Amino acid sequence: MEASQGEDGQCEESQTETEREDNGENQASSKMLHFATFEPGSTSAVHLLEMVKITASPDHYLSQCLISDDEHLLYLLSLQPVAGDAAGHAPDRLGTWRIGAGPTARLREKGVPCCEVDLLICPPGRSVGSRVARDSIGSVHAILQIHAASGALQLRSTCKKPIVYMKGLTDGGHLTLHGGDSCLLFHQHNHLRFGDYEFVLSFSLESPKDRDDFRVQRNRLLLRNHGQWPSRHLDLFPSPSHTLSSDVRIHRILSQDTTGRYTYSGVRLHTGEPVLLRRIRCNPDTQRWVQNELRVAAMFDAAAYSGVLGMLGQAWCEHGTSPPCQIESKAPAEDVYYATQLAEYHFLSMPWSKLGMGLDVRLDYFHQTLKGLGELHDKGLIHGHIRPESLVLVPTQENPQEDTLDGNFSPLSYGLTLPPFPPMRAAISDLGWTKASLNRDNKPNGGGAWVAPEVWASSVKASYTDKADIWGLAMSWLPAYVQIPADVKVTRANFGKIQSTVKSVFKKGHITKPFCDLLLSMLAWDPDDRPSIQNLLAHEVWIDLQRKRESEQGTARMEREERLRDRGPDAKKVRVLSPPAEK
């Protein structure tokens, strides 16, 4: 049963991906990478920006970022702080650009440090041109920001004056943003209209080397400021290959099977949130199964983490209708979509040894999936098809780098090394086979050692119970240590090899004796001999893990408090001034 030692035989594709990330980080240049430009898109905007260049202070931020020559008049956007810009070193300034008319002449004369912008698009002063432009452009009209979770560039309106994002709707129409509204900039060239003035934001990095370097810079920045970085399943910039479904911009296809089920990576247009998009073919033959899957997925609140990946929002069909047409009627066959959180790995693709995960980290992930199974069983559900691919690891946000909280760090923290894997939590996914029942007799299409032996022998008169999920979960944990052949069907003849595999992992020191005993009990041949989910959750393995976690958290808390005390009474204090309300 043990194909090869898992500490050496991990997924080649995942190792290659990790190695690429490592190489990219080591080779990342500290040069100024201008990843986007912001330039006039109309004659009136050209004249406006010409006046900005002429009248703005020469030592201002824009003097180094606003390029004006015989061929160009545009701003250059970079993650690097601009030399001589005192505000540029603030940790929350990098990766964020404020657009607008800047402080009024009155505020400037009073020296009030308020309403400063990075992309000044209105000439300062009391000129007629400035006054006319301010009818369309607010002091801080909008904010461009790299989204912490998806890495997408997001535009947020910050005043009551509108912004029109040309072709910003899924049907090709124009999207109007008012105060507080936000959207993803998903075109290569994004046309934005501020009243009578049109500007164009374009993504400008072309060479693979520059793109790789920019990805490393961006990831380091987001790690420092937000404690996370974007998924490897998302593209760096908008691409012609991306498509739209409802409010999701689809980046890549992740998987497909013979039943017409697909999964994709994508980003929500209005929130910038990364998602996994599921596409299911719904026809009269599959309608009942699709209805059941949507009903089960909607039972789990994605916002309240439960160890199960639930549905985000509502499902829709290929026509953009929610609920889908085919679900409630006998409409023609159609594709049905719904979104969940985007997983970074599943238990089979996770390069466990490559990422240097110790026993406690793996146990923590196992415990999270066990709690997810408890949630399913508490609701009277049998998953029915638990396998390593259905146990997923979803990125989650941790605290930013604490040593940078006082703002005393070198520009962009180029010495900050990305951890081998992002902060993640484990969950159960793939609810297409899940059913509300105490007993089942249907068999999954695919085989594998994770299918409990009683499933193959089941019938209407001799059905199986949720104890089959206990077997599937234990077998799906094993790829964290060893390779399990994917096409093996468990029989009495090879059952002993499973027990031997678990004992071999223990003898090699990869697991403890209590956890070895737990696995063996979950993999009992007779389902009645397997512990219940309640007994499993109360096992000493998890109690010991919790005690150790609490001890580590207490130590970390004391270290944080000690660092705060060491900063002393001269630590920087920042007063934030809000801009005056604009009409």
Side-chain angles (χ1 to χ4, degrees):
M1 182 61 63
E2 182 178 354
S4 64
Q5 175 57 37
E7 298 302 312
D8 300 318
Q10 298 295 342
C11 176
E12 180 179 348
E13 179 182 351
S14 297
Q15 286 188 348
T16 304
E17 180 74 25
T18 306
E19 288 165 2
R20 282 199 298 267
E21 291 292 332
D22 291 344
N23 293 336
E25 181 175 339
N26 293 333
Q27 298 171 6
S29 171
S30 60
K31 69 180 180 181
M32 186 78 75
L33 290 171
H34 299 119
F35 72 94
T37 61
F38 186 84
E39 59 186 316
S42 64
T43 303
S44 58
V46 170
H47 295 320
L48 201 61
L49 220 52
E50 285 281 11
M51 290 300 297
V52 169
K53 186 66 178 178
I54 293 171
T55 59
S57 172
D59 60 352
H60 195 265
Y61 169 93
L62 59 83
S63 67
Q64 298 179 53
C65 296
L66 179 56
I67 306 302
S68 178
D69 54 34
D70 292 342
E71 297 182 1
H72 304 96
L73 178 61
L74 50 81
Y75 280 104
L76 300 174
L77 274 65
S78 170
L79 294 181
Q80 289 268 20
V82 176
D85 178 28
H89 296 283
D92 62 346
R93 178 75 174 271
L94 300 176
T96 302
W97 299 265
R98 292 168 291 190
I99 306 172
T104 62
R106 183 177 180 184
L107 287 177
R108 288 188 185 276
E109 290 164 1
K110 290 185 175 182
V112 178
C114 177
C115 306
E116 292 292 345
V117 294
D118 307 294
L119 308 182
L120 184 64
I121 55 175
C122 175
R126 297 179 179 275
S127 68
V128 174
S130 175
R131 177 174 56 80
V132 171
R134 283 182 179 274
D135 289 340
S136 298
I137 304 171
S139 293
V140 181
H141 198 131
I143 292 178
L144 286 170
Q145 187 167 32
I146 294 180
H147 193 278
S150 66
L153 192 61
Q154 193 173 19
L155 177 72
R156 178 164 59 89
S157 174
T158 55
C159 77
K160 294 181 180 179
K161 295 182 175 70
I163 305 172
V164 178
Y165 181 20
M166 314 296 286
K167 297 184 179 180
L169 294 175
T170 56
D171 61 0
H174 303 329
L175 173 65
T176 301
L177 304 176
H178 298 278
D181 293 341
S182 63
C183 71
L184 181 72
L185 297 182
F186 60 89
H187 296 297
Q188 175 67 31
H189 304 285
N190 301 274
H191 292 254
L192 307 170
R193 186 178 296 161
F194 298 78
D196 298 328
Y197 309 95
E198 184 176 323
F199 293 86
V200 183
L201 185 142
S202 302
F203 295 97
S204 54
L205 288 181
E206 296 294 341
S207 78
K209 177 63 167 59
D210 284 347
R211 286 180 173 240
D212 287 345
D213 285 353
F214 176 77
R215 184 187 295 275
V216 173
Q217 291 184 8
R218 181 203 64 181
N219 290 357
R220 286 175 175 174
L221 174 68
L222 295 177
L223 171 64
R224 186 195 64 198
N225 285 354
H226 304 283
Q228 65 181 127
W229 64 90
S231 170
R232 63 198 176 98
H233 300 302
L234 296 174
D235 295 329
L236 193 63
F237 297 122
S239 167
S241 65
H242 294 173
T243 56
L244 284 169
S245 178
S246 186
D247 67 333
V248 175
R249 185 71 172 177
I250 298 174
H251 282 215
R252 306 178 192 172
I253 181 171
L254 300 180
S255 68
Q256 66 181 93
D257 63 23
T258 57
T259 65
R261 301 172 61 89
Y262 295 78
T263 63
Y264 306 88
S265 63
V267 182
R268 294 272 195 193
L269 290 183
H270 298 297
T271 65
E273 175 187 22
V275 296
L276 182 142
L277 188 65
R278 295 188 181 276
R279 183 181 116 196
I280 318 166
R281 190 61 177 172
C282 188
N283 56 47
D285 293 333
T286 63
Q287 184 183 52
R288 183 171 58 87
W289 284 97
V290 175
Q291 288 174 336
N292 179 73
E293 179 173 349
L294 298 183
R295 184 166 51 250
V296 171
M299 293 172 66
F300 297 92
D301 184 359
Y305 175 69
S306 63
V308 180
L309 281 195
M311 184 188 301
L312 293 169
Q314 295 182 320
W316 65 92
C317 67
E318 61 189 51
H319 313 107
T321 304
S322 182
C325 307
Q326 175 66 235
I327 293 301
E328 303 297 338
S329 66
K330 302 221 178 264
E334 64 176 1
D335 288 332
V336 173
Y337 300 83
Y338 73 93
T340 70
Q341 291 172 291
L342 178 60
E344 192 69 3
Y345 298 98
H346 53 67
F347 275 32
L348 203 58
S349 69
M350 182 70 175
W352 298 97
S353 60
K354 178 73 176 179
L355 299 186
M357 288 187 170
L359 175 60
D360 286 349
V361 177
R362 301 182 200 206
L363 281 179
D364 201 16
Y365 290 150
F366 299 162
H367 189 220
Q368 291 167 18
T369 60
L370 183 63
K371 290 192 292 186
L373 185 58
E375 288 287 331
L376 285 166
H377 288 183
D378 285 347
K379 295 181 184 295
L381 300 169
I382 297 177
H383 188 285
H385 200 199
I386 291 180
R387 61 199 191 285
E389 295 93 331
S390 62
L391 304 185
V392 296
L393 293 159
V394 180
T396 184
Q397 183 172 344
E398 289 188 349
N399 292 329
Q401 300 295 306
E402 291 163 2
D403 291 338
T404 68
L405 293 180
D406 58 1
N408 295 321
F409 49 79
S410 59
L412 204 54
S413 293
Y414 277 98
L416 182 63
T417 301
L418 291 177
F421 55 92
M424 297 181 291
R425 62 189 181 195
I428 296 177
S429 67
D430 290 346
L431 303 178
W433 197 257
T434 304
K435 188 177 180 181
S437 175
L438 298 177
N439 300 276
R440 298 181 65 169
D441 59 62
N442 51 341
K443 302 170 181 61
N445 294 326
W450 16 89
V451 181
E454 68 270 19
V455 172
W456 301 119
S458 65
S459 65
V460 176
K461 294 182 179 180
S463 56
Y464 60 90
T465 68
D466 59 9
K467 291 294 185 70
D469 286 343
I470 301 294
W471 173 286
L473 190 64
M475 283 302 303
S476 297
W477 288 346
L478 287 179
Y481 306 103
V482 295
Q483 273 191 332
I484 305 295
D487 56 350
V488 170
K489 183 176 179 179
V490 179
T491 64
R492 277 288 188 183
N494 62 24
F495 172 68
K497 294 183 180 180
I498 295 176
Q499 305 283 308
S500 299
T501 297
V502 175
K503 293 174 183 177
S504 173
V505 173
F506 165 64
K507 289 177 182 178
K508 292 176 180 178
H510 300 315
I511 60 176
T512 63
K513 183 62 166 63
F515 185 58
C516 176
D517 293 340
L518 177 68
L519 282 172
L520 291 174
S521 70
M522 296 172 70
L523 294 172
W525 178 269
D526 190 335
D528 291 336
D529 292 336
R530 296 173 205 151
S532 67
I533 193 71
Q534 292 78 15
N535 289 337
L536 286 171
L537 287 169
H539 196 275
E540 63 177 302
V541 168
W542 318 121
I543 296 174
D544 292 343
L545 179 66
Q546 180 63 24
R547 287 172 180 162
K548 189 171 183 179
R549 282 277 181 264
E550 290 173 353
S551 176
E552 292 173 349
Q553 290 170 359
T555 301
R557 184 166 53 251
M558 288 188 290
E559 290 176 352
R560 283 197 302 269
E561 292 172 352
E562 185 66 27
R563 283 197 297 270
L564 288 172
R565 283 195 295 270
D566 290 344
R567 285 171 181 160
D570 296 329
K572 290 182 180 180
K573 295 181 179 180
V574 180
R575 182 186 175 199
V576 179
L577 295 176
S578 299
E582 296 197 44
K583 297 180 180 180

